[in-house]
């Protein structure tokens, strides 16, 4: 009887939340930067739309190229060879909800491959991880099948990335925890507010966190973009958070070996990286996480995430550290969204001497 009452209350709570979202749903339109802001941001062009023209492709499992899961692919229209980013979506999210960020990154000369690993309900961590490994193994031949003849993906510059639970999947893949053997090598790793469980005592399986500094057994460069509101509850009556302390960006940064950087968008929440127009289901998913204040544009968050992607990969794929170092040294002079804190573990620094350095200590 008690269980039925509890289930009834949960149904009413869910229905009320859905009704609120449907009644109040209004897309938040981006606000343009002022001329003064634009002149500052122009000094670090990674935060502005790039010079390439992104093209979107939808590739289903029934296509002649037969990917293990349906994909969204964003690539420049211009002919050339481009680094590849394999991006994993968050819990219950659609890969199409990240379109603005994907287009932004692709406009700087990158191919973004975003599989839809499952529908609304996620499978076990191990099943999802193995599906992600299958998609990764498809890339060398499959991407060649999908792309035009005059465009190639540079598999020597292959980055692994993901948001939320997808960030966990990216780190688990890099740690070699999939039961499917990987046939590709990753050259960089980026986590967007990655989450490895609901608490220290309830990690995703397979577990990635040991709660020891520099414990991750890979040495590829890592960038982690966290959110300042991700560990805050969306509703006072519900203490659950979308990026709980102890299993999110701060601890994951702690366990990374150098080189590794950590950026926190202090005024934004776990789902603010998503597009504005994600429909009622997307808005319901966004509503359960604490986010930016109502009416505040999420465009600075998306451009900051996209710009950090581009600056980080330019540094470690091309050896051009100019923009990345500027962001590390003066993040709030250049980035559209406030970054606080910014932390960095420099290459060659012994792990024993690291203790969550702030950018002021670099």
């Amino acid at each position: 009887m008690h269980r039925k009452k509890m289930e009834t209350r949960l149904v009413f709570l869910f229905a009320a939340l859905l009704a609120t979202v449907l009644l109040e749903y209004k897309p938040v339109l981006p606000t343009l930067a002022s001329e003064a802001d634009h002149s500052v941001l122009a000094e670090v062009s990674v935060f502005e739309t790039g010079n390439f023209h992104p093209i979107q492709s939808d590739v289903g499992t029934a296509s002649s190229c037969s990917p293990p899961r349906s994909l969204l692919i964003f690539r420049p229209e211009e002919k050339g060879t481009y680094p590849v980013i394999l991006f994993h979506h968050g819990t219950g999210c659609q890969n199409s909800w990240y379109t603005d960020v994907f287009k932004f990154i692709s406009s700087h000369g990158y191919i973004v491959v975003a599989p839809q690993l499952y529908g609304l309900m996620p499978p076990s961590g191990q099943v999802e991880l193995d599906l992600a490994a299958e998609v990764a193994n498809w890339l060398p031949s499959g991407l060649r099948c999908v792309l035009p003849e005059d465009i190639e993906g540079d598999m020597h510059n292959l980055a692994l990335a993901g948001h939320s639970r997808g960030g966990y999947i990216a780190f688990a893949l890099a740690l070699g925890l999939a039961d499917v053997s990987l046939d590709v090598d990753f050259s960089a790793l980026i986590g967007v507010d990655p989450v490895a469980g609901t608490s220290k005592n309830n990690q995703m399986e397979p577990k990635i966190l040991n709660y020891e500094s520099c414990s991750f057994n890979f040495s590829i460069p890592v960038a982690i973009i966290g959110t300042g509101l991700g560990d805050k509850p969306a509703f006072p009556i519900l203490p659950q958070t979308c990026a709980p302390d102890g299993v999110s960006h701060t601890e994951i940064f702690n366990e990374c070996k150098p080189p590794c950087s950590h950026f926190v968008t202090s005024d934004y929440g776990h789902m603010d990286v998503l597009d504005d127009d994600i429909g009622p289901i997307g808005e319901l998913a966004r509503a359960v996480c604490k986010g930016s204040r109502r009416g505040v544009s999420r465009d600075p968050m998306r451009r900051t995430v996209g710009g950090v992607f581009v600056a980080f990969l330019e540094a470690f794929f091309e050896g051009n550290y100019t923009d990345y170092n500027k962001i590390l040294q003066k993040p709030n002079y250049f980035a559209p969204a406030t970054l606080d804190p910014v932390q960095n573990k420099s290459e060659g620094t012994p792990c024993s001497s690291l203790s969550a350095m702030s950018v002021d200590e670099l």
Side-chain angles (χ1 to χ4, degrees):
M1 180 66 70
H2 178 73
R3 181 178 178 182
K4 288 184 178 179
K5 288 182 179 180
M6 180 63 70
E7 290 177 348
T8 302
R9 290 175 184 170
L10 290 174
V11 168
F12 277 121
L13 178 61
F14 181 82
L17 178 59
L18 179 59
T20 301
V21 170
L22 291 174
L23 288 172
E24 297 186 2
Y25 168 59
K26 293 179 181 178
V28 179
L29 298 177
T31 56
L32 296 176
S34 67
E35 289 186 7
D37 291 338
H38 182 82
S39 66
V40 170
L41 296 179
E43 294 186 39
V44 177
S45 59
V46 294
F47 293 121
E48 298 294 330
T49 301
N51 296 323
F52 295 90
H53 300 88
I55 299 291
Q56 175 181 338
S57 302
D58 298 81
V59 184
T61 55
S63 74
S64 59
C65 298
S66 303
R69 282 292 184 268
S70 60
L71 309 169
L72 275 183
I73 298 177
F74 293 80
R75 50 89 177 172
E77 181 181 24
E78 293 80 3
K79 66 180 180 180
T81 300
Y82 303 99
V84 178
I85 301 169
L86 178 60
F87 187 98
H88 303 94
H89 61 81
T91 306
C93 292
Q94 298 293 307
N95 52 7
S96 60
W97 295 351
Y98 301 87
T99 293
D100 287 350
V101 169
F102 293 161
K103 283 183 176 179
F104 184 96
I105 295 170
S106 184
S107 77
H108 285 269
Y110 294 87
I111 296 171
V112 182
V113 179
Q116 187 66 47
L117 294 178
Y118 55 87
L120 189 61
M121 296 302 294
S124 70
Q126 190 67 62
V127 169
E128 184 180 355
L129 181 58
D130 293 344
L131 290 172
E134 290 177 8
V135 173
N137 288 340
W138 171 89
L139 285 174
S141 60
L143 200 55
R144 178 63 277 163
C145 174
V146 169
L147 296 175
E149 290 185 1
D150 59 355
I151 294 177
E152 291 188 28
D154 181 0
M155 297 307 295
H156 296 292
N157 284 319
L158 174 61
L160 189 55
H163 167 238
S164 187
R165 174 172 165 143
Y168 155 79
I169 291 296
F171 277 88
L173 268 183
L175 288 166
L177 298 179
D179 288 337
V180 175
S181 297
L182 281 174
D183 300 329
V184 295
D185 293 320
F186 298 105
S187 303
L189 174 56
I190 306 172
V192 181
D193 220 17
V195 179
T198 58
S199 69
K200 287 184 178 182
N201 297 323
N202 190 26
Q203 284 194 56
M204 292 279 297
E205 294 286 350
K207 296 178 181 179
I208 66 169
L209 298 175
N210 300 311
Y211 300 97
E212 296 178 8
S213 181
C214 299
S215 64
F216 288 160
N217 64 350
F218 58 76
S219 298
I220 59 176
V222 177
I224 300 168
I225 307 166
T227 62
L229 304 180
D231 62 349
K232 307 292 190 296
F235 306 99
I237 60 172
L238 298 175
Q240 292 84 1
T241 66
C242 289
D245 285 336
V247 288
S248 55
H249 57 95
T250 300
E251 180 57 33
I252 291 174
F253 170 68
N254 177 53
E255 303 203 19
C256 285
K257 294 178 180 177
C260 180
S261 298
H262 180 212
F263 307 85
V264 180
T265 54
S266 56
D267 299 329
Y268 289 92
H270 190 64
M271 304 293 261
D272 286 336
V273 70
L274 303 179
D275 296 350
D276 288 329
D277 188 7
I278 54 178
I281 299 299
E283 287 300 325
L284 180 60
R286 187 172 1 232
V288 300
C289 299
K290 179 75 172 177
S292 58
R293 298 188 312 276
R294 186 172 180 80
V296 173
S297 173
R298 291 180 284 265
D299 183 60
M301 168 67 171
R302 291 188 291 264
R303 287 195 293 129
T304 297
V305 169
V308 170
F309 262 74
V310 173
F312 171 73
L313 295 179
E314 281 185 356
F316 290 98
F317 282 179
E318 302 173 23
N320 178 7
Y321 289 83
T322 302
D323 287 343
Y324 198 59
N325 284 339
K326 284 182 178 179
I327 299 168
L328 286 173
Q329 292 162 8
K330 293 186 177 181
N332 296 318
Y333 184 75
F334 296 112
T338 299
L339 294 173
D340 183 26
V342 171
Q343 301 168 297
N344 186 55
K345 298 178 182 180
S346 300
E347 195 165 10
T349 304
C351 281
S352 58
S353 66
L354 296 172
S355 58
M357 296 178 299
S358 72
V359 71
D360 295 332
E361 297 172 306
L362 294 179

